[in-house]
Amino acid sequence: MEWTVLISVAAAISGLILGWSGRTRSFRQDIIQEAGADALQRADVDYIKRGVDDIRLEQRAQAQRVDVLSERVTRVEESAKQAHKRIDRKEDIGGV
């Protein structure tokens, strides 16, 4: 009867030890997986930030181009207005 009790106690203790070591191993693996997922998420966020920064720079450059183009269109309109006035005066003078 003593052997049965000793074997039962040894089996229970070894079960506890194996269960605890398995839980610890599983916990470590979970931490490693979470760290990898966090690193991937941070890399993705950094990539998105760089993309947003690039978009902002391009938007500023585009706004500058629009400003320059707007200024040029204004000058062309003024020039065309002056040309029409000269043409109208020549028609009035020449009777064309």
Side-chain angles (χ1 to χ4, degrees), residues 41-73:
Q41 186 178 17
R42 286 182 184 169
D44 288 345
V45 168
D46 287 341
Y47 177 75
I48 291 169
K49 284 181 183 178
R50 279 183 265 135
V52 168
D53 289 343
D54 290 344
I55 290 170
R56 285 181 182 162
L57 289 173
E58 182 61 32
Q59 185 180 12
R60 285 184 191 134
Q62 189 67 22
Q64 288 175 350
R65 283 185 233 136
V66 167
D67 289 344
V68 169
L69 185 60
S70 176
E71 195 174 306
R72 289 179 68 190
V73 167

Side-chain angles (χ1 to χ4, degrees), residues 3-52:
W3 284 102
T4 317
V5 172
L6 288 175
I7 291 174
S8 298
V9 169
I13 291 173
S14 68
L16 286 172
I17 292 171
L18 289 174
W20 185 261
S21 66
R23 182 178 174 271
T24 303
R25 182 173 167 237
S26 173
F27 183 70
R28 285 185 199 150
Q29 287 177 344
D30 289 346
I31 289 173
I32 291 170
Q33 286 177 347
E34 286 178 19
D38 287 347
L40 182 61
Q41 186 178 17
R42 286 182 184 169
D44 288 345
V45 168
D46 287 341
Y47 177 75
I48 291 169
K49 284 181 183 178
R50 279 183 265 135
V52 168

